Amino acid sequence: MKDRKGLVMVYTGYGKGKTTAALGLALRAIGHGQKVYMIQFMKGSQNYGEIKASKYLPNFEIVQKGRDAFVKKNEPLPEDLKLANEGLELAKRVISSGEYDLVILDEINVAVDYGLIKEEDALDLIEIKPSWVTLVLTGRYAHDRILEKADMISDVKEVRHHYQNGVEAQEGIEY
């Protein structure tokens, strides 16, 4: 796959479906025999469907670097900072290895916005990417400098959400 053009793709915005879109891309890549690595920042629950499904998918590794709890903006716990830093270091190794065709950094935009990861460090991940590796950055609040580096940006807009009608988070839909 080293003869193809790797892209920088960003899924951002306030609507539902950014992680889901990245997982769809992963499934498509796996279907073509490509290797995929996903790091989920700020997520730590083993109840996510993608964690369970990953056991059945070839060429797909997923690692969570977050607690199973919400992070308060501007008030991260030391554990939040530690896990985000571990995720950042892992991302550096995985991306620069060139071993994976697709690397997904799920919720990294939120981690940057919340101050768990420095914007410069996220930009460095884009710079170290080998030319054939596609890098996906998901999450609300994508910063302008990250967007400037992207080959593709999808801004997911919320038009209507079932939460507004009192529907709770459901297995297989939200997680």
Side-chain angles (χ1 to χ4, degrees):
M1 301 308 284
K2 293 183 180 182
D3 59 341
R4 69 186 193 113
K5 163 88 170 99
L7 304 170
V8 175
M9 304 173 76
V10 175
Y11 293 104
T12 192
Y14 291 91
K16 176 183 172 9
K18 298 171 289 292
T19 297
T20 305
L23 287 164
L25 190 63
L27 187 62
R28 182 172 282 167
I30 292 164
H32 286 285
Q34 296 178 22
K35 292 182 74 177
V36 179
Y37 202 104
M38 182 177 203
I39 301 169
Q40 292 189 313
F41 291 88
M42 303 175 68
K43 291 181 178 176
S45 171
Q46 296 299 298
N47 279 333
Y48 283 99
E50 58 266 29
I51 299 296
K52 294 176 180 186
S54 70
K55 296 174 178 79
Y56 305 102
L57 294 172
N59 297 324
F60 183 56
E61 292 186 54
I62 184 169
V63 173
Q64 293 182 320
K65 289 297 178 180
R67 294 181 299 118
D68 185 14
F70 288 103
V71 178
K72 289 179 104 175
K73 188 172 183 177
N74 300 321
E75 295 181 36
L77 297 177
E79 181 73 3
D80 297 321
L81 295 168
K82 175 183 168 287
L83 289 165
N85 188 61
E86 288 175 7
L88 178 65
E89 292 304 314
L90 177 60
K92 287 177 188 176
R93 289 192 307 276
V94 168
I95 293 166
S96 63
S97 77
E99 183 182 340
Y100 297 89
D101 303 289
L102 175 63
V103 178
I104 301 168
L105 305 177
D106 187 37
E107 302 296 355
I108 193 167
N109 295 326
V110 180
V112 169
D113 192 66
Y114 277 40
L116 301 176
I117 294 174
K118 293 178 184 158
E119 182 180 28
E120 287 302 322
D121 289 334
L123 290 165
D124 286 347
L125 295 174
I126 295 170
E127 293 305 316
I128 65 169
K129 177 188 87 57
S131 64
W132 63 89
V133 174
T134 291
L135 181 62
V136 177
L137 299 90
T138 76
R140 297 176 181 202
Y141 321 119
H143 287 205
D144 288 341
R145 291 175 60 207
I146 290 172
L147 295 174
E148 288 169 10
K149 298 282 186 184
D151 296 297
M152 191 280 319
I153 303 166
S154 285
D155 189 356
V156 182
K157 177 183 171 192
E158 182 177 306
V159 175
R160 179 179 302 127
H161 198 294
H162 47 274
Y163 284 169
Q164 297 160 347
N165 291 324
V167 177
E168 299 288 323
Q170 300 180 76
E171 271 184 4
I173 304 295
E174 277 76 38
Y175 62 92

